[in-house]
Amino acid sequence: MPETRADTIREELQKRRRAILETTRRADAEIDALRAAERDPEFEEGAQTEHEAFTLSRLGETQRREIVQIDAALARLDAGEYGSCADCDQEIDPRRLKALPYALLCAECATRRERAPGAVVNEPPSI
Ligand SMILES: [Zn+2]
């Protein structure tokens, strides 16, 4: 792949990474605020707060997973392996990479892993 294209992808991945970290930080701050509010004896909406904190922490987990995938994609970019499937070495469909710049697997392997129990890589299939 031409160096300029690799640079563009790297920039895009790093931009996405920063955006996720920023969102996660904000979610963490919100969870802290909710926990602080719970300790307030005047605060009586415990159940609702619990639900919101749960939603936010789930969001954090999804984003953490995305960061892991972005880091893996960046490592593959540095190794010159970006764009080929981590499982079968076939070239990943450029349309899939455009929609999912940190895709490590081709659509076929992503679908297979999604069905396999204990899948490590979770990517939306069929892109
Ligand atoms: Zn594959």
Side-chain angles (χ1 to χ4, degrees):
M1 140 181 348
E3 199 48 44
T4 48
R5 174 147 162 66
D7 283 347
T8 308
I9 294 166
R10 185 177 288 114
E11 236 169 74
E12 203 171 304
L13 287 169
Q14 280 165 348
K15 204 161 71 187
R16 177 86 189 124
R17 197 181 191 285
R18 276 196 299 272
I20 294 169
L21 286 177
E22 181 57 36
T23 312
T24 307
R25 246 199 311 274
R26 230 173 293 154
D28 282 349
E30 257 181 79
I31 291 173
D32 284 349
L34 285 169
R35 295 228 169 99
E38 259 185 353
R39 282 193 292 271
D40 186 340
E42 303 281 299
F43 197 83
E44 287 174 8
E45 290 168 67
Q48 176 67 23
T49 307
E50 205 41 55
H51 178 74
E52 270 181 53
F54 177 75
T55 306
L56 288 170
S57 66
R58 291 291 301 167
L59 193 72
E61 193 187 310
T62 307
Q63 287 161 336
R64 269 192 295 275
R65 202 179 297 148
E66 202 173 328
I67 296 255
V68 169
Q69 281 181 246
I70 289 174
D71 284 346
L74 284 167
R76 288 181 73 77
L77 201 59
D78 288 339
E81 289 168 350
Y82 181 83
S84 56
C85 175
D87 263 10
C88 69
D89 274 340
Q90 296 288 321
E91 219 173 286
I92 300 174
D93 190 329
R95 279 168 305 179
R96 176 170 165 78
L97 280 179
K98 203 164 189 300
L100 203 67
Y102 48 84
L104 303 175
L105 302 171
C106 67
E108 218 172 289
C109 291
T111 307
R112 198 181 53 231
R113 287 235 200 157
E114 185 117 315
R115 290 196 193 118
V120 181
V121 180
N122 284 305
E123 289 177 4
S126 72
I127 292 176

